[in-house]
Amino acid sequence: MQTTRSKELAEEYLRLGGKRLAKIDDNIVKIRHWEDDTSEAEAFWQKHIEPLDDKRRVEVVTHLPTINDR
């Protein structure tokens, strides 16, 4: 099965120790960040995800665990 670039970015971020969670409510997607990322995950987020336009960043965030998964 083929994965999308946004899914690959989310998986790599999580593999590096990323702790951000998605909050999806009424089709509004936000990020919650209560715990610190590892330095590798933070650097990856800043370099590869933060620069994306809003639409692409939302696509990545939808592949993160949600606050309901806790």
Side-chain angles (χ1 to χ4, degrees):
M1 182 164 77
Q2 188 174 13
T3 62
T4 64
R5 179 69 178 142
S6 59
K7 183 167 175 68
E8 290 171 353
L9 288 170
E11 287 175 345
E12 181 62 10
Y13 165 74
L14 294 170
R15 187 188 73 75
L16 292 170
K19 303 290 186 191
R20 288 174 171 91
L21 299 171
K23 179 182 182 238
I24 304 171
D25 187 27
D26 291 333
N27 294 326
I28 298 171
V29 179
K30 295 186 178 190
I31 299 169
R32 295 294 182 249
H33 193 200
W34 291 292
E35 298 177 45
D36 291 337
D37 289 337
T38 62
S39 57
E40 295 86 0
E42 181 64 30
F44 183 85
W45 184 274
Q46 295 302 321
K47 182 176 181 182
H48 297 285
I49 301 171
E50 188 65 35
L52 298 172
D53 62 45
D54 289 341
K55 181 181 178 206
R56 300 280 186 227
R57 194 174 321 107
V58 164
E59 289 174 2
V60 173
V61 171
T62 60
H63 293 291
L64 297 178
T66 70
I67 60 172
N68 296 329
D69 294 336
R70 293 184 110 195

